[in-house]
Amino acid sequence: MKKILFLCTGNSARSQLAEALMRHMADDSYEVMSAGMSPETVDERVYTVLTQNGVNSDNLQSVSAESLHDQHFDVVITLCDKASNECGLFPESDALIHWDFKDPKPLEGAQGFVDTYEGLKAKIALFLMLNGEDQSDAVGPVELFKIMSDPLRLRILMLIEDEFALSVGDLTKALSVSQPKVSRHLALLRDAGILKDQREGLWVFYRLPENLPVWIHHILTTVRNGNPGLINNEKLKLSQIKDRKKPGFSQKN
């Protein structure tokens, strides 16, 4: 079970919302706690917003971060700059993350708490999506960005992400480069675990593997959607290949 700590100044608003939300959205593989550098009473608007959204607010209480300094947390997520500066309390944590949220307490009414709730909900959903599996054998972020820094490899990945599966011949024609050059880059991507090859008759197709970590999928999809014109010319060339072979296997194979 992974232990997660949300850390803030007063442990009275942001970190309480985060603790309750993470428990609500995550499964039993997470133990969630929150604490503050200078604990204060939990703001009543926390309970109001959580109740309105059907999130259990039982057993929320302010805790001093100092009282937890001897505990190991897999992830410590700070929610304000002051708490971020105090990460030294938990040097043995596997990951230290900072999410910057303005304190909603000075604002009148509950709208500031509603906005904080919605922002935390989006952050937690993304965190859970990207950390829901064992990624110990995956290529790391440094290696991934080195791979993507090459313009030709980046276009290969974008084309395959868009088309699901392509052959060496497809890529050679779409990219207007030699087959040996395309094959070298495909071999590098395959050896890094970012692509897999799959034979169908006389054809060999390259595709993203089924067990590719979600965070890598997310990066590729974000780059593709954030730069929709990146491979326009290549897509047009693919559409003009009259004898193009389409893979018969499904994306789940």
Side-chain angles (χ1 to χ4, degrees), residues 114-148:
V114 172
D115 294 341
T116 301
Y117 173 93
E118 293 297 336
L120 285 167
K121 183 178 179 181
K123 286 277 194 181
I124 291 171
L126 181 61
F127 176 88
L128 292 173
M129 181 185 76
L130 300 181
N131 291 275
E133 59 183 68
D134 182 9
Q135 301 177 24
S136 59
D137 59 347
V139 60
V142 173
E143 292 78 11
L144 176 65
F145 286 113
K146 283 182 179 179
I147 287 169
M148 293 177 65

Side-chain angles (χ1 to χ4, degrees), residues 44-103:
E44 287 299 322
R45 289 169 289 183
V46 168
Y47 298 106
T48 300
V49 172
L50 292 176
T51 299
Q52 289 175 346
N53 288 276
V55 177
N56 191 334
S57 59
D58 295 344
N59 302 318
L60 291 181
Q61 57 181 327
S62 292
V63 175
S64 168
E66 184 66 33
S67 68
L68 303 176
H69 77 279
D70 59 344
Q71 293 193 35
H72 172 79
F73 292 93
D74 297 284
V75 182
V76 174
I77 301 177
T78 55
L79 301 173
C80 64
D81 289 337
K82 184 176 180 180
S84 180
N85 294 333
E86 299 295 335
C87 280
L89 281 173
F90 305 97
E92 302 302 320
S93 298
D94 298 336
L96 303 172
I97 302 175
H98 181 54
W99 296 347
D100 190 22
F101 283 86
K102 292 182 179 180
D103 188 358

Side-chain angles (χ1 to χ4, degrees), residues 210-226:
E210 299 84 350
N211 60 349
L212 190 69
V214 176
W215 68 269
I216 296 181
H217 268 294
H218 189 71
I219 288 175
L220 297 179
T221 301
T222 299
V223 173
R224 178 70 186 108
N225 290 334

